[in-house]
Amino acid sequence: MFARIAQAFPDAPIYTALLDEAAVGDLIDLARVRVSCLARIPGANRRFRYLAPLCPMVFERFDLHEYDLIVSSTTAWAKGIRFRTDARHVCYIATVSRFVYDYEAYVGEMLGNSPLRFIARPMVAALSAWDRRAAVRPTAYIANSRNVAQRIERIYGRRAHVLHPPIDLERFTLGTGSGGYFLTIARLLPYKRIDLAISACAAIGASLRVVGDGPMRAELERSAQGTKTEFCGALGDEDLVRMMRDARAILVPGEEDFGLVPLEAAACGRPTIAFGRGGALETVIPGVTGEYFTEQTVASLTDVLRIFDAGRYDANILRAHAEKFDVPRFIKALREMVAEIYNRPPGLRDGIEMTR
């Protein structure tokens, strides 16, 4: 996602807390990147979640005063950068920081089953207080979904433009679902609700493949014993795409902020069965690109799986749906939104008078 924002503004330097060159070296020009002092900490890229208490200070200390326009991409820290009063900061935001509104999900992702999770609450409370103060700073927000825009307004009291993120269509080709299994792709965290997918597939004797890793893997593997569930771990791009092409359908049992997986599935000509809340409402069209289950329960998902017929979905229609979210569309729309915000009178934040 961030690589596409960087592509939209190819001459701009990139500021970041940490840099994993192996992961992003083929996506962005590393000569553009300015990295924070956190990068000097041994093992920082592996243990970045433990560095969360330092991140507010790091982003506030970036010296951005020479810039008239800053475009950030964040779920948390970059919204807090400081900039000149006559400059503009456009913040593309994937979600409101989870530690503000969903403590258990955030701590589960950061600490897993570590004993530290039981003493983390004061630290998370301090981060939440900073986050709410920092949320006032950007000139404008662009949310990745209507779902997130509503959350921004509810929690931060700020309005947001909406621009859905893109998918790299060239990565995907149409498949036939010949593998006969259901597939779920997610980091294995509590709020992803992979347990629902396992139990519902077991209830109808269906095969399920789980792609992804995370702190809940061991617990989920224990619960899946005796079922037709296979844990595949994290896969490379080629293997992942092949698995998507061969799946009967992709399952999204958690409530997503937006969720690219249903669109990537559609680009492979495969439908999605998703929990009918959150971002799935913006990516799945019932009867056309997939189906919803209405309650986040095993029974609700099982009812949909029992009557699911993969043959009723047209792979070409699915692909055409995915093409509405391509990269050129995103880059064009992002540039237009940023230009409109930049050309506003200085000293305004979405119509709120700026006081610094």
Side-chain angles (χ1 to χ4, degrees), residues 16 34 36 41 54 61 167 196 204 234 236 270 279 288 314:
T16 183
R34 282 75 164 149
S36 80
I41 299 175
L54 301 177
R61 291 182 64 181
I167 61 168
L196 293 182
I204 64 169
R270 309 312 307 147
V288 179
D314 186 316

Side-chain angles (χ1 to χ4, degrees), residues 282-302:
E282 301 172 54
T283 58
V284 178
I285 304 171
V288 179
T289 69
E291 303 295 338
Y292 299 135
F293 64 101
T294 57
E295 298 178 5
Q296 211 167 29
T297 64
V298 173
S300 182
L301 177 53
T302 301

